[in-house]
Amino acid sequence: MTSAGAGRRLGGPDRLAEVADAATRAIRLLPATPGDLPSSRPVPPPQPVRRIRTDPDTVERDLVRLVLTVVELLRQLMERQALHRVDQGDLTEEQEERLGETLMILHDRMSDLCADHGLTMEDLNLDLGPLGPLLPPASADPRS
């Protein structure tokens, strides 16, 4: 089949030019591949992957820290949910009082567990790199 026959099927030479122009614009929108970039900039050496340090002397303490971090995260989530329910008016005064006492006892117990293992509450806040810290700062208002 000749190119003239193909042009007629697509609607003529003008239509072929439109399709070619559309394809050119679409290709320009694709992200550049590493081979398309100029090599004038030196490529930095790859960074080593961060590994977990498994020092036998600190494994137990690190495991306790991880478990307490998860428990503290759950405690804070429960506290926020409780405050939300109080703000919504879903609870009676007696339920609010019991919930408040329970959350205070839970916070005190977390502080005791941290002290028992030589940790502070700040030690439980993991740094998630570009995402920031896992837990909000202690001074943050949980109602926000």
Side-chain angles (χ1 to χ4, degrees):
M1 179 180 279
T2 64
S3 62
R8 271 184 257 143
R9 274 194 350 197
L10 292 175
D14 292 337
R15 181 70 179 138
L16 269 178
E18 288 176 28
V19 170
D21 187 45
T24 302
R25 285 194 314 264
I27 289 173
R28 279 192 211 131
L29 294 176
L30 294 175
T33 62
D36 295 337
L37 299 174
S39 61
S40 61
R41 252 191 313 172
V43 177
Q47 296 293 324
V49 177
R50 283 206 247 166
R51 302 276 183 201
I52 296 174
R53 287 185 224 129
T54 55
D55 183 9
D57 298 333
T58 63
V59 167
E60 182 179 347
R61 184 173 187 271
D62 291 342
L63 182 59
V64 167
R65 181 179 173 205
L66 179 62
V67 170
L68 289 177
T69 298
V70 171
V71 172
E72 176 62 13
L73 177 64
L74 292 173
R75 186 197 69 77
Q76 287 187 14
L77 291 172
M78 288 181 354
E79 185 175 303
R80 287 185 186 151
Q81 183 65 32
L83 288 173
H84 178 70
R85 289 190 65 194
V86 168
D87 288 343
Q88 295 293 326
D90 292 347
L91 304 173
T92 65
E93 279 189 41
E94 180 183 316
Q95 289 172 324
E96 288 179 15
E97 194 66 31
R98 200 171 69 217
L99 187 59
E101 287 176 18
T102 302
L103 290 172
M104 286 191 303
I105 290 169
L106 192 56
H107 184 271
D108 291 342
R109 185 64 185 130
M110 280 298 299
S111 297
D112 293 344
L113 284 169
C114 285
D116 291 347
H117 295 284
L119 299 167
T120 65
M121 294 298 276
E122 291 79 28
D123 291 334
L124 304 182
N125 200 358
L126 300 177
D127 179 17
L128 300 177
L131 297 176
L134 175 67
L135 303 172
S139 62
D141 181 14
R143 292 179 188 237
S144 55

